Amino acid sequence: MHESKKKCIGIDVGGTTVKIGLFETDGTLLFKWEVPTRKEDSGQHILPDVAKKLKEKLADHGLTADELKGIGMGVPGPVMPDGCVEVCVNLGWHDCWPAREMQKLMGAEIRCEAANDANVAALGEMWQGGGKGFSDIVMVTLGTGVGGGVILDKKIVAGKHGTGGEIGHLRIREGEKEPCNCGGYGCLEQVASATGIAREARRAMEQDSSDTEMRKFGADITAKDVLDCAKAGDAMACRVMDTVFYYLGWALSVVSMTVDPEVFVIGGGVSRAGSFLTEGIRKYFDQFTTLSDQKAEITLAQLGNDAGIYGAARLILD
C-alpha cells in the first residue's frame, strides 16, 4: 500500500483509561475508543489489553497491520532516548520499553514510538490544535499538576534525561514551607495548578479576615470557584489570581529566554478560564521579557483530552 494511504494509531496511556485513535496521515481522526487501565501486577496487563483491543478494532474496520504506518504512544513518565521508561509511578511500570513491547504484541514489523505524555500532547496541539501553523511551541498544561512540552522545529525536546519541558517544577517561589510532589519546594505547580490555586485561596482566607465570596466554599473550594469569583470582581479572589498570573508570567519568561518559542499554548482544566487567564499571564510575561518587542503569543489549547492521541499519532510521521 502507498505510504500516503496508510493509517496511523495514537495511544494515550492514562492512569484510569487508555485512549486510542485511528488517524489518516493528514491528521483526520477516523475513530477513537478507550480501554480501562488495569494497574494491578505492576501494570503488566496494560499493553496486552491495548494490543488485544487494537487488533479487534482493526479487524472491525477491515484493516490489517500492513495498512498501518505505525503506532505512537504517550506514557505518563520520562522516556529515555533509547525508548526506556525507568518509572511510571501511576502505572506501576519500572525499567520497561513500551514501544518495543507493543511491537512484539502486535506481531508485525510495525513502527512503534513512545514519548512522555505531556510532550506528546504538545505535539498534538502543534499538529492540529492551538499551535497549528507554528513550528516552535511550548505547551503548559494547568491541571491537577502543571505539565509542559517543548516542540522546536516540529520535534519534541525531551532532553538527555527525559525531563525537558518539566515546567511545573521550575523553582520560582522562595520561602515555600510545604513540599511539592516532586520533593522540592516552591515549584510553579504548587501555585499555578488547579490544586495550587485552591490552596492559595485557602491560605488567603486564613490570613485575611475581610469579606469574600470564596468563604461560602470553605475548605472544599476549587480552582474554578476561585476563578469564577475573580471574574465577578471579588477582591480577594482577584489578589489570589494575580499571584498565580505573576508566577506563570515569570515562569513563561524564563522559558522564553531559554528556547524563545513562537507561541505558548495553555491547556488543562484551568485553561477553561479563557482570555481572563491568558490576559492575566500576558501582563506579567510582558513585564518580564523586555529584551525585544517581538514576543511569543499566548493562546489556548484546542484539542482537550484528545491532544494525547493526536500527538501520539504524529510521533510516527517524522
Side-chain angles (χ1 to χ4, degrees), residues 199-210 215 236:
R199 188 180 61 172
E200 287 295 309
R202 289 193 296 270
R203 284 181 174 179
M205 289 187 284
E206 290 168 4
Q207 296 165 5
D208 185 340
S209 60
S210 58
R215 292 196 193 281
M236 192 184 297

Side-chain angles (χ1 to χ4, degrees), residues 256 260-264 282 285-286 293-298:
S256 187
D260 190 23
E262 296 170 281
V263 62
F264 286 98
R282 178 101 241 171
F285 177 73
D286 285 347
D293 291 333
Q294 301 297 312
K295 300 177 185 181
E297 296 182 31
I298 300 176

Side-chain angles (χ1 to χ4, degrees), residues 247-261:
Y247 285 113
L248 278 167
W250 180 349
L252 265 57
S253 74
V254 170
V255 175
S256 187
M257 294 300 179
T258 307
V259 298
D260 190 23

Side-chain angles (χ1 to χ4, degrees), residues 132-149:
K132 191 171 184 178
F134 297 100
S135 300
D136 302 270
I137 85 164
V138 172
M139 186 173 178
V140 183
T141 306
L142 307 176
T144 305
V146 173

Side-chain angles (χ1 to χ4, degrees), residues 46-56 102 105-106:
I46 297 172
L47 292 184
D49 286 352
V50 171
K52 180 182 177 183
K53 180 62 72 172
L54 184 50
K55 289 176 182 177
E56 290 174 0
M102 179 57 68
L105 288 165
M106 290 302 294

Side-chain angles (χ1 to χ4, degrees), residues 9-21 33-39 42-51 54 71-79 85 88-93 96-99 101-102 105 113-118 120-121 305-313 315:
I9 298 288
I11 299 172
D12 182 16
V13 183
T16 305
T17 62
V18 180
K19 299 176 181 66
I20 308 169
W33 59 95
E34 296 184 359
V35 179
T37 306
R38 288 203 291 152
K39 293 182 283 189
S42 300
Q44 63 178 307
H45 305 294
I46 297 172
L47 292 184
D49 286 352
V50 171
L54 184 50
I71 298 172
M73 282 191 289
V75 300
V79 180
V85 173
C88 283
V89 176
N90 293 335
L91 303 180
W93 287 357
C96 60
W97 281 261
E101 183 178 345
M102 179 57 68
L105 288 165
E113 299 285 346
N116 169 264
D117 55 359
V120 161
N305 290 333
D306 287 343
I309 57 173
Y310 273 89
L315 269 180

Side-chain angles (χ1 to χ4, degrees), residues 1-8 23-26 65-70 109 111 316-318:
M1 174 179 282
H2 194 276
E3 284 293 307
S4 64
K5 299 294 185 183
K6 289 189 174 184
K7 311 292 190 265
C8 49
F23 292 83
E24 298 280 11
T25 54
D26 66 359
D66 291 338
E67 294 173 90
L68 295 180
K69 188 172 179 66
E109 287 300 316
R111 183 180 172 200
I316 54 93
L317 297 180
D318 289 332

